Amino acid sequence: MLHGSLIQSGLENVYWGVMIVTYPYISGLVAGSFVVSSLSHVFHQKLFDDLAPLAVLVSFALLLAAPLTVLGDARQPINFWELLTRGHWPYSPIAFFILIWMAYIVLMLFELYFAFRAQNVRHWVQSQGHSRLRRFLTLGSRDASLAGEKRDKRILMILSAMGILMAFLFHGYIGFIFGSTKARPLWATPLMPVLFIVSAMVSGIALMWVVYVLVMRFSHRPVHRALADGLLRYLVLFVLLDLYMDAVDFLTSAIPAYTQGPTSQGFQRILMTGPNSGIYFGLQLGVGLGVPLIGWIIPQIRRSLAGGALMSLAVLIGVFAMRWDVVIAGQEQSKISSNLVTVQIPWTGFDSVQTVIGVFAVAFVVFMVLAWAFPWQSWNQIPAMEHREEREGQILSQSAQGTNSTITTKGGHVLS
Amino acid sequence: MARRHILRQMAIAAISFSAAETLLQSAARAKSLTVLAAARRKQWTGENAAVMQYYRTKPKWASWTVPQLNVRDGWSEPSGWMSKIENSRKVPYIHDNFNRLLPVTKLPHHWVMVIDLRRCIGCQACVVSCKSENNVPVGVYRTWVQVVETGAMEPDAQGTVVTDRGTFTPNVKRFSLPRLCNHCDAPPCVEVCPVKATFKREDGLVLIDYPKCLGCGYCINACPYDARFFNPIQQTADKCTFCVQRLDRGLLPACVTSCVGRARIFGDLNDPNSEVSRLIARYPTTHLKTTMGTKPQVFYIDLDGVVAEDGADAFNTLYPYAVGTNTEEYDDLTGKVLLQTPMGKERGTR
């Protein structure tokens, strides 16, 4: 019978199980998908305008599910209230969790409001005041003008810029939880936060690619290939960065001449020749980094939708393997015994595969609710009244005066 | 098309079931744990009729997943083992900034333990008395004695140990190594606790306030000596307390009392006439893993430097009662590993 990490049967055990593998994975997806949304909000890449609202929703749904993993691994989760009333910050890295998570939730709520405010107002107007959901989501705002939308975009830009910092903080501190544990030689490296952030970007972009294509398929809409290919380009860019970080990590932890004895011993015995070598070389490096890079080299794979899906799913698997290689492999190295600690992950029960599926299912349900509530669809956007007048005016003037005409609309915008 | 439809329905059903199952489990667990948490807080302040009634009807601790442990065994009752961490003299304690402990001479006591390895015979009496005194559950230890072997079997044509893979001469040294919480002066386990559930008492003891423990496991991972563990019954972190319940009443820790060779000596380092002070002044002492910078307060006399610093790969652990059953060294004992050689361990079956 598999007890997993609930029953500790020996002097040394793997105390943090598969739920703690999922925790940095989910929070990495949060950070990565948020950065995808900020491509449009902060860096003004028009190509990703259609994707930004979807990315915000995905990020928020995963953010709500992220603490379930930590609570699922804690033995006395009901004591979570202690984190608020007697948190040990700034001394304990885990105590930062509740602060950063709550700040991030607040920021995401603002982000959600301003990203959809104008559309909510217009949908409410279009429903002739009947849609109570739209009315609630506007929080009393009735400004559907173009000027209001532009102000929203300015606010969104500031919020998203703060959000990128917050995402890096949220995910970097999880890397710091491991990096600051000096008792575990494989964890105690200052590279940990950077490693985590880079792989978070990789996994977030891959997830947004998969979500975008799936959503378009299920909505029976054509996939915007320029958008998907643009995402893949960013994906490969960050995969290269991840490859660089992994190479640095390998050099500074695996080579005996360059590092402490226990670190290189542990790396070689666990990741290079031991029980995790298949996950390390096969999944983390081979599937997670090799498949997307080789796929990018071959044009047939790069240009096809199936090839993009292959690359994105490979990256998602590879990043999960990377989390596994940090969390589980780090604990397989014994502190006082003379060999490696063995680990068993149960299928059901506490800290099991079932709970991981359950957490992702919760995130999926939350995402479906959000996707139902917010008008994120690019084909469901109602343009501002000024825009409609512009378009009508343009059509009228074109029919009256020919194509090379210049008119000034009510909003003061010059069209040529 | 129909098959695709059915597949989609099945996928949706599976995902919904999994989500609902997880939420229901969490809710059920949260409810039972809420009642328990309330009961525990009352128990902390004193006995209470409602708490007694709760335990009478439901003699459960958080061990709900382990039915065979769900019995009245001293853990569930209000006066159970959970309430044994005492501080009857109200000694102040800290959670961080351990440099505050530097002027130790101003404090009345600084409890330390000296372990004289020349006198340890590996009888494991301290392990038994600790389990008996502190009701430590089966499978986990607050103190344990590793019987370790350093050195290796060296290939030798004239050797006395003959195997399929060659002839060897043993060039090894065997000794016993009692281990326990080092009650460090700069304890990483205390620093990383997110809810200040564990603390450093200013007379040197590192203790846990069990009802406040989240059970997150960070302190267990952060301890370089593996002195902490998850108590399988109360489902919180647990560790050696230097028998604080005895200490506060003027008694020695149970392991010290029961040590047949007087290998364990306990005392006050602030008192220059105490036995520990005299031993530390007279003999060279060392700690386990001094490079971790944790300032351990368990002093070893005649400790092999290989074991003290290198740990893991430098030695063999012998005898099963000091070995984790889920480590590869347990496999060694059951015959899956043949011999320790200078080239490394040779795997095989005996």
Side-chain angles (χ1 to χ4, degrees):
Chain A
M1 185 181 169
L2 292 179
H3 289 303
S5 58
L6 185 63
I7 307 298
Q8 309 287 331
S9 59
L11 282 181
E12 294 199 52
N13 301 278
V14 171
Y15 301 101
W16 284 349
V18 71
M19 288 301 264
I20 300 293
V21 178
T22 318
Y23 173 46
Y25 185 65
I26 284 197
S27 61
L29 295 177
V30 171
S33 50
F34 188 88
V35 170
V36 170
S37 80
S38 68
L39 284 177
S40 158
H41 289 155
V42 181
F43 302 106
H44 299 303
Q45 302 214 1
K46 295 277 177 218
L47 184 60
F48 301 107
D49 277 356
D50 290 352
L51 193 61
L54 191 64
V56 171
L57 295 185
V58 169
S59 185
F60 189 59
L62 286 165
L63 183 62
L64 289 181
L68 293 181
T69 52
V70 224
L71 287 180
D73 194 75
R75 302 304 199 279
Q76 303 286 352
I78 199 67
N79 281 2
F80 81 94
W81 190 252
E82 311 281 359
L83 280 170
L84 291 166
T85 54
R86 44 183 294 133
H88 190 201
W89 60 277
Y91 296 96
S92 166
I94 286 188
F96 268 108
F97 166 78
I98 199 87
L99 286 181
I100 298 176
W101 184 73
M102 278 167 43
Y104 204 176
I105 287 272
V106 170
L107 187 129
M108 286 299 286
L109 287 174
F110 276 101
E111 174 108 8
L112 273 178
Y113 176 69
F114 285 110
F116 296 103
R117 188 198 60 83
Q119 286 302 318
N120 278 326
V121 174
R122 286 174 205 154
H123 275 90
W124 178 69
V125 171
Q126 197 183 42
S127 74
Q128 315 220 330
H130 287 306
S131 173
R132 286 188 185 175
L133 176 67
R134 300 282 165 236
R135 190 174 160 195
F136 170 71
L137 291 175
T138 56
L139 299 183
S141 169
R142 295 290 172 266
D143 179 13
S145 67
L146 197 63
E149 200 176 346
K150 287 198 169 161
R151 187 207 57 191
D152 284 358
K153 284 199 171 153
R154 276 200 304 279
I155 294 174
L156 263 185
M157 182 177 158
I158 296 164
L159 277 178
S160 298
M162 282 163 61
I164 294 178
L165 290 178
M166 196 71 92
F168 279 21
L169 195 63
F170 184 56
H171 201 59
Y173 106 91
I174 294 171
F176 186 65
I177 288 178
F178 299 104
S180 64
T181 309
K182 61 184 172 186
R184 296 279 184 203
L186 284 184
W187 287 355
T189 160
L191 281 179
M192 227 21 123
V194 189
L195 267 174
F196 269 55
I197 287 173
V198 171
S199 53
M201 308 283 286
V202 171
S203 64
I205 295 169
L207 177 78
M208 281 322 297
W209 195 96
V210 173
V211 168
Y212 175 69
V213 171
L214 281 181
V215 157
M216 288 295 152
R217 277 290 157 95
F218 278 106
S219 314
H220 305 292
R221 300 273 164 176
V223 174
H224 188 188
R225 290 307 301 273
L227 198 164
D229 291 348
L231 266 188
L232 270 193
R233 218 164 21 244
Y234 275 109
L235 178 68
V236 171
L237 195 70
F238 278 103
V239 164
L240 283 172
L241 197 57
D242 201 10
L243 184 67
Y244 169 73
M245 290 309 302
D246 273 3
V248 173
D249 183 42
F250 186 86
L251 285 175
T252 54
S253 344
I255 313 293
Y258 303 158
T259 184
Q260 306 268 335
T263 313
S264 63
Q265 279 169 20
F267 203 95
Q268 293 189 349
R269 286 190 58 183
I270 298 167
L271 292 173
M272 290 177 70
T273 58
N276 276 27
S277 56
I279 298 179
Y280 181 67
F281 287 112
L283 292 182
Q284 182 184 340
L285 298 182
V287 173
L289 302 178
V291 168
L293 288 178
I294 292 169
W296 183 253
I297 291 168
I298 302 168
Q300 286 88 346
I301 295 181
R302 184 176 68 206
R303 286 175 194 150
S304 74
L305 217 51
L310 176 75
M311 289 161 68
S312 302
L313 290 175
V315 162
L316 286 175
I317 292 169
V319 171
F320 194 84
M322 181 263 174
R323 310 293 193 232
W324 179 282
D325 283 341
V326 170
V327 177
I328 302 289
Q331 296 177 86
E332 281 180 19
Q333 186 169 13
S334 57
K335 294 169 182 169
I336 53 152
S337 313
S338 52
N339 257 321
L340 301 185
V341 181
T342 52
V343 59
Q344 294 165 325
I345 302 295
W347 288 102
T348 57
F350 181 85
D351 207 1
S352 64
V353 177
Q354 181 211 8
T355 47
V356 172
I357 295 171
V359 166
F360 277 104
V362 168
F364 178 73
V365 169
V366 174
F367 169 70
M368 292 307 274
V369 171
L370 289 173
W372 165 78
F374 286 96
W376 53 271
Q377 299 95 332
S378 58
W379 57 91
N380 198 14
Q381 308 281 312
I382 304 173
M385 194 60 82
E386 291 94 326
H387 267 158
R388 271 178 270 169
E389 284 175 7
E390 273 171 20
R391 209 178 298 147
E392 284 156 14
Q394 200 174 9
I395 292 163
L396 282 176
S397 63
Q398 276 173 4
S399 58
Q401 301 170 7
T403 49
N404 291 330
S405 63
T406 303
I407 57 164
T408 307
T409 60
K410 200 165 69 182
H413 300 284
V414 178
L415 290 170
S416 58
Chain B
M1 198 62 201
R3 198 167 63 184
R4 204 173 136 200
H5 185 69
I6 290 167
L7 276 176
R8 203 166 70 183
Q9 292 293 328
M10 280 171 63
I12 291 171
I15 289 172
S16 319
F17 175 76
S18 198
E21 168 84 8
T22 306
L23 285 174
L24 278 176
Q25 273 189 11
S26 316
R29 192 162 173 219
K31 194 188 164 195
S32 72
L33 289 179
T34 314
V35 179
L36 269 172
R40 255 184 294 159
R41 290 217 174 74
K42 283 175 189 164
Q43 159 193 340
W44 197 245
T45 50
E47 292 201 3
N48 180 304
V51 180
M52 291 299 290
Q53 181 58 33
Y54 174 78
Y55 282 114
R56 212 169 286 129
T57 52
K58 267 191 174 176
K60 279 190 180 183
W61 191 247
S63 60
W64 50 275
T65 46
V66 195
Q68 66 267 32
L69 295 177
N70 186 13
V71 289
R72 281 173 173 273
D73 57 355
W75 294 93
S76 313
E77 291 80 7
S79 57
W81 298 96
M82 277 291 276
S83 56
K84 286 297 180 194
I85 294 294
E86 295 176 7
N87 192 0
S88 52
R89 294 180 191 175
K90 306 289 179 205
V91 185
Y93 51 82
I94 53 177
H95 301 99
D96 36 59
N97 283 326
F98 301 110
N99 288 341
R100 275 185 265 165
L101 284 174
L102 278 179
V104 282
T105 45
K106 288 180 186 167
L107 297 166
H109 302 293
H110 186 74
W111 303 117
V112 300
M113 188 179 282
V114 174
I115 295 180
D116 192 345
L117 292 178
R118 299 168 303 178
R119 292 174 165 192
C120 178
I121 56 170
C123 67
Q124 309 276 345
C126 47
V127 181
V128 175
S129 61
C130 173
K131 284 221 160 209
S132 170
E133 166 69 28
N134 297 302
N135 201 14
V136 181
V138 174
V140 288
Y141 300 88
R142 286 187 178 186
T143 181
W144 65 105
V145 181
Q146 268 178 310
V147 183
V148 299
E149 188 180 77
T150 55
M153 305 291 280
E154 290 171 356
D156 184 4
Q158 309 299 319
T160 50
V161 181
V162 182
T163 70
D164 301 349
R165 307 193 178 192
T167 320
F168 297 88
T169 296
N171 181 15
V172 294
K173 184 187 171 193
R174 179 181 292 187
F175 57 94
S176 305
L177 179 64
R179 285 184 187 266
L180 71 161
C181 170
N182 285 269
H183 292 269
C184 309
D185 268 359
C189 55
V190 175
E191 186 111 15
V192 301
C193 178
V195 292
K196 296 192 266 191
T198 176
F199 53 89
K200 172 91 179 162
R201 221 166 80 165
E202 290 201 355
D203 59 354
L205 272 55
V206 176
L207 303 174
I208 305 173
D209 192 351
Y210 299 114
K212 294 192 172 65
C213 177
L214 278 179
C216 67
Y218 201 4
C219 57
I220 302 176
N221 269 326
C223 172
Y225 308 100
D226 199 53
R228 287 175 174 246
F229 55 88
F230 273 126
N231 189 312
I233 295 181
Q234 71 191 30
Q235 292 291 343
T236 65
D238 198 359
K239 65 184 270 299
C240 160
T241 60
F242 270 167
C243 286
V244 61
Q245 73 278 12
R246 291 170 63 92
L247 195 61
D248 282 355
R249 285 164 174 75
L251 297 171
L252 286 171
C255 56
V256 176
T257 315
S258 65
C259 183
V260 292
R262 281 187 58 73
R264 292 184 184 234
I265 302 104
F266 186 83
D268 183 4
L269 197 61
N270 285 357
D271 175 8
N273 294 318
S274 68
E275 193 179 356
V276 286
S277 297
R278 283 187 280 120
L279 276 173
I280 291 169
R282 180 164 181 186
Y283 295 107
T285 54
T286 186
H287 309 291
L288 292 169
K289 296 191 181 178
T290 43
T291 47
M292 284 287 168
T294 51
K295 302 181 193 165
Q297 296 305 301
V298 173
F299 298 76
Y300 288 88
I301 297 176
D302 195 28
L303 176 63
D304 193 328
V306 171
V307 179
E309 289 301 330
D310 291 352
D313 288 336
F315 56 87
N316 271 333
T317 310
L318 306 176
Y319 302 138
Y321 45 71
V323 169
T325 49
N326 59 345
T327 54
E328 287 187 350
E329 65 187 353
Y330 188 73
D331 298 348
D332 293 6
L333 292 165
T334 50
K336 290 182 192 165
V337 170
L338 195 63
L339 280 178
Q340 169 95 4
T341 67
M343 289 78 75
K345 291 199 168 172
E346 291 205 9
R347 286 202 163 267
T349 34
R350 224 169 270 175

